[in-house]
Amino acid sequence: MTHTRTSPATSAPTPTTPPAAPTPAASSVPARAVRGPAPYLVPALLAVGLTMYGPLLAVTALSLFDFNLTTQTPRWVGADNYREVFASPETGTALRNTVAYMATILPLSVLAPGLAAIAVWRFGGRLTGFYRTVFFLPVLIPPAVGAVMWQWIFNPVLGIADAPLELLGLGPVSWLTQPVSAFVAVTIVAGWKVFGLSFILFTAGLTAIDANVMAAARLDRAGEWQLLRHIVVPLLRPVTTVVVFATVVFVGPWTFGVIDVLTQGGPAGATSNVYYLLYQLGFGYVDGGPASALSVLITVGFGAVVAAQMRLSGRRAGR
């Protein structure tokens, strides 16, 4: 029996083909790339335009017409409404009172709460939380409720505002019926409301001061006055700028509710301001033309004040 020997195949090894390079996956970004954040800002810009600039343009157009808010058909008068507003003595009185409110409320919204915040920060101890609550409490009281409470305090018969004056022999004061005392009363009530908000802002600024800076200054034998003058006050400058800015811009709205409850702008316009005069023209006399013209002038005037303050703040920050 013959066995046939088969030799193993001596074929050359088959060369292996290297794996193909992976083709990049198709990009999921659409062909039209997103053009920055502009498309996402459109809804917000439309909302701002409809709720802010739309009414402003409408009021500007209405200021060129003479119309009554009840029955009168609008009649084109051009700039006559502006001339009427400028010529009115009530406008001059309200403008002077507005500036006077700024000057008298600034110490109550900047100096007094700043000093109170520093005192509580340095010497409050365990009662710090209690003091902060007490000082901030007026902010939580609705303006109308607070004004009614102060109306009782200034009552010449039942009120307690005259008690300290009687101890000094100055006698009772008719707070809300005399021009000077009525203006002082409105300033006190508005300042009382603003004090708490400014106090909290200054408190937040003080808590942001690095304790290591204070400790290093004390190691250099700096006294309390030097710490206050050279460290605390400079570091509180941004907060002070914000408080001054808010006081100048919002002093009219802050005093409006107080005026409406306590004095209604009297006696003889001694406590009115431009915002309350606007309210009287629009809803008291229902004279839409001058009211619209005055609202445009208020917007332009306070816009100029805001621009000046921002420019001044920018110059100080650049130094």
Side-chain angles (χ1 to χ4, degrees), residues 2 23 40 56 80 89-90 128 149 177 190 222 254 281 285 311:
T2 305
T23 57
Y40 304 101
L56 180 59
D80 288 350
E90 295 179 348
T128 298
M149 180 185 68
T177 58
W254 286 342
L281 290 175
Y285 309 144
R311 185 173 182 180

Side-chain angles (χ1 to χ4, degrees), residues 158-183:
L158 303 176
I160 60 175
D162 287 335
L165 300 177
E166 291 178 355
L167 292 177
L168 298 176
L170 300 178
V173 176
S174 299
W175 285 94
L176 303 180
T177 58
Q178 301 297 323
V180 175
S181 60
F183 183 89

Side-chain angles (χ1 to χ4, degrees), residues 280-295:
Q280 287 180 318
L281 290 175
F283 298 98
Y285 309 144
V286 290
D287 199 354
S292 300
L294 181 58
S295 64

Side-chain angles (χ1 to χ4, degrees), residues 86-111:
F86 279 117
S88 174
E90 295 179 348
T91 304
T93 301
L95 182 60
R96 287 192 296 270
N97 290 342
T98 303
V99 176
Y101 281 129
M102 292 181 188
T104 53
I105 293 178
L106 268 175
L108 299 176
S109 64
V110 180
L111 182 61

